[in-house]
């Protein structure tokens, strides 16, 4: 029996692309969703274990762990994808913004890694934890200050957990810049954003799928960051 991969935030965009990729590979998936998007019914019909989970709610992490533990003796990987890209301009309670960013991007992955590591370690093979961070871990972001700081915290968790769990579990970050635009992004924003990288394209979810597969296929890469950013650092 192939151990499942747990993906948080698997009901749209990159998380959904990852979920659908593994389904197509006959790799069992457990995924969490906050909002019951239209895709959930089909994913459940395809055998994906879809667990409703709003990490902003108290006890959500322990409830998720208590849902996962009885359904599988082990996990192949945990992919921390769930995220909220919030900016200071859209809020007036900076303390709440900071707390929410740190919660979803650092505290939730920290607590899940601590609680789920036994399931990862019970596998006979090397297993993986993957943190979806962000290019702005390197630079900060004047418009997403709390978001960037929280992703930097997640990046640091990669370093600590890779040392704590080696050699049974590899722990790595994937640090994207633009992968896919949001529906509300206007043409001016898109043109400005495309100019920020050397490649100048909206690459799409396949870039993250390829990066995840690279990390899963390695028996040696750990404690590192895969920068998936189109050469933005050299622009
Ligand atoms: N898209 C891009 O170009 C880039 C993405 N990244 C990173 O890659 C990852 C995927 O990006 P993308 O697909 O755009 O992500 P989204 O912004 O689409 O968010 C992913 C999911 O996170 C879930 N989520 C948010 N907050 C919570 C919460 N409190 N509890 C539970 N689930 C929550 C949402 O669930 P629901 O929809 O069910 O409410 C959503 O489906 C993220 O970590 C992101 O920071 C980094 C750089 C660029
Ligand atoms: N949770 C999310 N994080 C990020 C998103 C997103 O849509 N959801 N988008 C970006 C941008 O694409 C940025 O990398 C380029 O402007 C960053 N993080």
């Amino acid at each position: 029996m192939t151990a499942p991969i747990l993906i948080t935030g698997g009901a749209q965009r990159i998380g959904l692309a990852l979920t659908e990729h593994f389904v197509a590979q006959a790799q069992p998936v457990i995924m969490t969703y906050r909002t019951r998007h239209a895709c959930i019914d089909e994913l459940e019909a395809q055998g994906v274990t879809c667990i409703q989970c709003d990490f902003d709610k108290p006890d959500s992490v322990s409830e998720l762990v208590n849902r996962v533990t009885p359904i599988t003796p082990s996990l192949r990987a945990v992919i921390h994808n769930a995220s909220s890209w919030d900016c200071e301009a859209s809020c007036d309670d900076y303390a709440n913004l900071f707390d929410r960013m740190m919660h979803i991007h650092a505290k939730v992955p920290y607590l899940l890694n601590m609680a789920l590591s036994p399931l990862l370690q019970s596998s006979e093979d090397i297993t993986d934890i993957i943190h979806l961070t962000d290019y702005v871990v390197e630079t900060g972001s004047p418009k997403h200050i709390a978001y960037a700081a929280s992703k930097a915290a997640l990046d640091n968790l990669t370093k600590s957990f890779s040392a704590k769990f080696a050699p049974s579990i590899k722990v790595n970050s994937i640090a994207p810049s633009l992968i896919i635009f949001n529906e509300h992004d206007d043409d001016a924003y898109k043109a400005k954003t495309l100019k920020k990288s050397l490649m100048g394209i909206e690459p799409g979810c396949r870039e993250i799928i390829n990066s995840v597969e690279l990390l899963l296929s390695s028996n040696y890469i750990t404690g590192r960051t895969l920068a998936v950013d189109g050469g933005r650092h050299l622009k």
Side-chain angles (χ1 to χ4, degrees):
M1 173 74 174
T2 305
I5 291 175
L6 172 64
I7 302 170
T8 65
Q12 69 172 13
R13 297 164 55 82
I14 292 173
L16 176 57
L18 286 167
T19 298
E20 291 175 335
H21 167 74
F22 288 124
V23 167
Q25 306 278 324
Q27 161 62 53
V29 174
I30 299 171
M31 69 83 134
T32 77
Y33 65 93
R34 178 177 55 181
T35 309
R36 191 167 179 90
H37 294 281
C39 63
I40 303 284
D41 290 343
E42 175 60 23
L43 292 174
E44 288 175 336
Q46 293 175 314
V48 177
T49 301
C50 301
I51 300 175
Q52 199 283 334
C53 179
D54 181 347
F55 289 116
D56 289 340
K57 298 228 184 323
D59 303 323
S60 59
V61 169
S62 57
E63 287 170 6
L64 175 60
V65 172
N66 292 336
R67 287 285 303 276
V68 171
T69 304
I71 59 179
T72 182
S74 63
L75 286 170
R76 168 64 187 84
V78 177
I79 302 176
H80 296 284
N81 170 78
S83 168
S84 194
W85 191 37
D86 294 352
C87 61
E88 277 70 22
S90 64
C91 90
D92 55 11
D93 183 344
Y94 297 141
N96 174 266
L97 173 63
F98 192 87
D99 290 345
R100 285 190 298 107
M101 293 296 95
M102 284 295 175
H103 181 76
I104 185 65
H105 297 135
K107 187 174 182 179
V108 166
Y110 168 79
L111 293 175
L112 282 176
N113 290 345
M114 295 301 282
L116 294 175
S117 57
L119 291 181
L120 289 161
Q121 285 163 333
S122 69
S123 171
E124 290 174 7
D125 300 318
I126 296 171
T127 55
D128 290 85
I129 292 169
I130 297 174
H131 296 149
L132 272 292
T133 59
D134 191 305
Y135 163 82
V136 296
V137 163
E138 290 183 31
T139 62
S141 173
K143 293 182 179 176
H144 299 81
I145 302 168
Y147 164 88
S150 66
K151 288 288 192 172
L154 181 57
D155 176 70
N156 190 265
L157 290 177
T158 296
K159 300 174 174 67
S160 300
F161 278 122
S162 62
K164 175 177 177 60
F165 292 144
S168 57
I169 308 171
K170 298 188 284 102
V171 186
N172 292 287
S173 298
I174 294 173
S177 61
L178 171 69
I179 299 298
I180 45 171
F181 287 115
N182 279 282
E183 286 177 8
H184 58 264
D185 291 335
D186 63 26
D187 289 346
Y189 171 81
K190 289 181 179 180
K192 182 185 71 172
T193 305
L194 290 171
K195 289 194 177 103
K196 288 182 179 178
S197 78
L198 294 178
M199 298 309 289
I201 60 169
E202 175 193 21
C205 299
R206 171 52 61 180
E207 287 294 329
I208 302 302
I209 293 168
N210 291 344
S211 300
V212 167
E213 286 289 6
L214 170 64
L215 292 174
L216 296 180
S217 68
S218 168
N219 284 325
Y220 198 49
I221 301 172
T222 194
R224 283 301 190 186
T225 296
L226 273 186
V228 186
D229 59 22
R232 179 167 171 181
H233 63 301
L234 297 176
K235 192 67 182 197

